Amino acid sequence: MSSPQKGRPEALFPLFAEIETLPGVGPKTARMLATLHIEKPADLVFTLPQSGIDRRKRASILGADLPGVVTVEVTVGQHRAPAGRTGAYRVTVEDAQTTFQIVFFRAHDDYLRRALPTGARRIVSGKVELFDGAAQMVHPDYMLPTDEAQEIPDFEPIYPLTAGLTQGAMRKAVVGALTRLPDLGEWIDPGQRQQENWPDWADAVHAAHTPQLMADLGATHPARARLAYDELMAHQITLALARSQMKRSKGRATMGTGRLQARVMAALAYRATGAQTRAITEIAADMGRQIRMNRLLQGDVGSGKTLVALNALLVAVEAGGQGVMMAPTEILARQHLEGLRPLAEAAGVVLEILTGRDKGAERRAKLAALAAGDIQILVGTHAVFQKDVEFADLRLAIVDEQHRFGVRQRLELGRKGAAVDVLVMTATPIPRSLSLAQYGDMDISVLDEKPPGRKPIATALVNMGRLDEVVEKLRHAIGEGRQAYWVCPLVDESEVSDLSSAEERFRRLRAALGEGRVGLVHGQMPPEDKDAAMSAFQRGETSVLVATTVIEVGVDVPNASIMVIERAESFGLAQLHQLRGRVGRGTAASTCLLMYQSPLSEGGERRLTTMRDTEDGFRIAEVDLAMRGAGDVIGTAQSGLPRFRIADLEGQTGLMAVAQSDARKLLTDDPDLTSPRGQAARVLLWLMERDQAIRLISVG
């Protein structure tokens, strides 16, 4: 039960009272509601009907759309009780145009004769179906005398339920909650509200809970759209507050001379893409301002983020400062080092790496060089966060692959230097709606072009039954000097699953292709064994690397041109896309084989055909989002993404974008939220329980 937070506006007290203060809600109902995440009246207010039943009265069931719910006035005819206990009890009735039967199972004869006396007029409402050509209504929802007809609503809202909870109990609780709606000030921009023709908050809540037609349940209905916008707005104000906190913490203008960057560009074998040039310009402009940079660099697999990152680091070095680039794992940190080294050498810049593996004298020497400013660019893992790591003049921190890096960690990162600019890089293409929801506190640069010379990867679906054929083709390919990844879904044979394990596949491929030709990496190996197997493959000493998904992110072996993914249907779309991106990095034409076990589920088939049909990571991410929903795509638990009750991230990207610009404008005009609209926005944050935002205002 949420405790009354200190400072909550008094107007909201009734909505945050105990759920059992509502009519008809005792301890048992309260427990059932809790399984639906309903613990206070406010939660009921935001639990909208998910469908509805049209119960408008008709003259006859003739011409009705069957099977379907029909409400009709009838004259009750004869009753026919079953011979045994288990048969059907049937009552023949007649409407204005035809006769049909009402059917009951396990019925009590005396109760039914009282409820439906022969010869009486009754209003009945329930689902009518054709059974052997004859119409019947099984267990009507309503059977009332004609003078009580008004008890049947024309349109009945249907709420989400849990075992034991009835629509009646749910509706009664909702009606109770709606009597507590306070009169609140308006937090939406007046022009925006007028343009969209949105009702005020309380009217919107009432309208959303009393739909009159099916169309009223749609997301675009003014009442529902307004309530969705309120949720998105509260989220975007939270992000905008974090953003203005970041901007308020004074930055330093870091101006590059362009001298070192020009050397790197001259050393390149190709020209930068338009997207790379644009991102480099945006980042340099941010760094040159007096406010702290807080930018996300989003680029698909192979879109050339390394070049953009290095140019940003060189701006820091040209200005006389230092830059750091952090990766989540040691393998990735070493790989960034390899990727940056030739370019850093062309620029004549001192580059070093610091990981948890550095110990003793070597570590002390690196720390001293860093503190003296002799190391200009540092690559590392989270070891860079440790207290004894001090920079002479840190200007830029780049964080790689951090969709697990929430707003809080981003704020923390900036504390290493006086006013460090922050650039977060991700290789996971994120649909626009999600990047607005998750990175709404940041400015975003997108790399949406592939550098010249990246060849398309041919992707094929292959049944697991053709395994021997695949191994034969692989033998032929490695005979020609090609290298391949073979990805397995599990590490050890478990009884519950027939997914073949990496160990087992490794043994079989070694037997088929030759002892020294096959390497193995999986998550349970000691890091040094893993690194040894990776580097043997990188150097071309092994031709095939059998691996679990540890190779998913960032490993770079230009000569590897074949990717076999076994039981590909058991992987998610984003994972498949990342894995495929491991090949196609060199000059050879590349292939990705998605091996699947029949029969494929509908979802499995959609994922695999999407992979076959497109290489565009943003397109793949949109399909992933449509199939799994927002929380799963980025893992709600670690994403800091709220659980929206009304707003739909997939369908309401446009609203999210408007909420973002509106929230940013509100805080620009009224940074402390003291105007009447600002005060209303504070109430909105309390209403939506945006604790982080409330803390930021009280601190701010």
Side-chain angles (χ1 to χ4, degrees), residues 166-179:
T166 63
Q167 284 296 338
M170 186 71 170
R171 266 196 298 276
K172 188 172 180 182
V174 168
V175 170
L178 295 185
T179 60

Side-chain angles (χ1 to χ4, degrees), residues 144-332:
L144 298 171
T146 49
D147 57 359
E148 292 174 24
Q150 72 289 343
E151 297 214 358
I152 303 178
D154 280 351
F155 190 82
E156 185 171 28
I158 297 298
Y159 288 92
L161 298 177
T162 183
L165 193 62
T166 63
Q167 284 296 338
M170 186 71 170
R171 266 196 298 276
K172 188 172 180 182
V174 168
V175 170
L178 295 185
T179 60
R180 303 188 172 190
L181 295 186
D183 190 15
L184 301 178
E186 186 53 80
W187 47 77
I188 294 180
D189 175 72
Q192 157 88 3
R193 210 188 115 192
Q194 196 178 349
Q195 184 190 325
E196 297 288 350
N197 195 18
W198 283 340
D200 72 23
W201 181 73
D203 290 346
V205 171
H206 277 292
H209 282 282
T210 51
Q212 301 303 304
L213 313 156
M214 267 324 212
D216 296 353
L217 297 162
T220 52
H221 184 276
R224 285 203 173 218
R226 157 146 203 166
L227 296 175
Y229 186 77
D230 292 339
E231 272 192 309
L232 299 174
M233 179 78 178
H235 179 55
Q236 287 297 343
I237 291 175
T238 308
L239 292 173
L241 281 163
R243 173 188 164 87
S244 64
Q245 182 101 333
M246 191 76 181
K247 299 270 187 216
R248 243 186 272 180
S249 54
K250 194 104 174 71
R252 273 167 87 186
T254 297
M255 310 286 289
T257 59
R259 196 170 51 83
L260 302 174
Q261 297 174 70
R263 286 191 200 164
V264 167
M265 291 311 203
L268 288 180
Y270 56 87
R271 286 186 47 201
T273 64
Q276 284 175 315
T277 310
R278 189 177 62 236
I280 288 168
T281 311
E282 288 169 346
I283 292 166
D286 272 5
M287 292 176 72
R289 294 195 185 99
Q290 282 293 346
I291 44 185
R292 296 204 6 208
M293 171 168 78
N294 190 24
R295 186 171 280 277
L296 174 73
L297 175 64
Q298 217 189 320
D300 202 349
V301 178
S303 57
K305 289 185 297 296
T306 306
L307 180 66
V308 177
L310 179 68
N311 271 279
L313 291 163
L314 291 177
V315 171
V317 177
E318 289 170 354
Q322 295 163 296
V324 62
M325 182 160 177
M326 285 170 39
T329 66
E330 182 145 342
I331 286 187
L332 277 180

Side-chain angles (χ1 to χ4, degrees), residues 334-513:
R334 296 203 173 278
Q335 195 165 295
H336 280 311
L337 184 72
E338 300 307 319
L340 292 170
R341 188 173 273 149
L343 297 171
E345 278 169 7
V349 170
V350 182
L351 176 71
E352 236 338 322
I353 185 164
L354 182 68
T355 69
R357 215 187 270 186
D358 291 304
K359 298 277 189 288
E362 191 184 353
R363 179 179 164 89
R364 284 195 297 277
K366 282 185 185 179
L367 294 183
L370 203 57
D374 299 339
I375 296 173
Q376 293 162 298
I377 296 175
L378 183 68
V379 176
T381 54
H382 291 98
V384 173
F385 266 144
Q386 286 163 357
K387 286 229 175 22
D388 60 350
V389 180
E390 283 177 24
F391 293 82
D393 180 10
L394 180 62
R395 301 287 187 104
L396 171 69
I398 300 183
V399 185
D400 182 29
E401 263 313 327
Q402 289 298 333
H403 36 270
R404 292 170 193 76
F405 230 69
V407 175
R408 197 178 63 252
Q409 289 93 327
R410 297 204 282 271
L411 287 170
E412 252 164 42
L413 217 173
R415 303 205 175 111
K416 270 287 173 199
V420 179
D421 286 323
V422 177
L423 179 68
V424 176
M425 300 201 303
T426 173
T428 313
I430 307 168
R432 178 149 186 264
S433 52
L434 278 189
S435 59
L436 284 173
Q438 197 181 6
Y439 297 109
D441 60 318
M442 309 184 83
D443 301 300
I444 299 183
S445 297
V446 179
L447 297 180
D448 48 12
E449 300 168 53
K450 288 263 199 306
R454 290 287 302 223
K455 293 196 170 58
I457 300 167
T459 302
L461 275 52
V462 182
N463 196 305
M464 283 294 289
R466 294 170 56 195
L467 187 72
D468 296 344
E469 234 177 285
V470 172
V471 174
E472 199 41 55
K473 286 223 166 84
L474 194 57
R475 183 206 312 282
H476 185 70
I478 65 177
E480 292 175 348
R482 296 173 69 182
Q483 283 179 283
Y485 292 100
W486 189 299
V487 178
C488 299
L490 280 182
V491 175
D492 49 37
E493 292 283 39
S494 67
E495 284 71 27
V496 292
S497 144
D498 63 344
L499 297 183
S500 72
S501 74
E503 304 258 351
E504 174 62 16
R505 180 60 62 220
F506 168 65
R507 285 195 290 276
R508 290 201 192 167
L509 287 176
R510 210 170 44 173
L513 305 171

Side-chain angles (χ1 to χ4, degrees), residues 64-93:
D65 207 0
L66 301 184
V69 172
V70 184
T71 305
V72 64
E73 186 174 332
V74 296
T75 303
V76 182
Q78 73 182 84
H79 285 237
R80 206 165 75 240
R85 292 261 344 218
T86 53
Y89 187 111
R90 298 175 184 277
V91 182
T92 303
V93 295

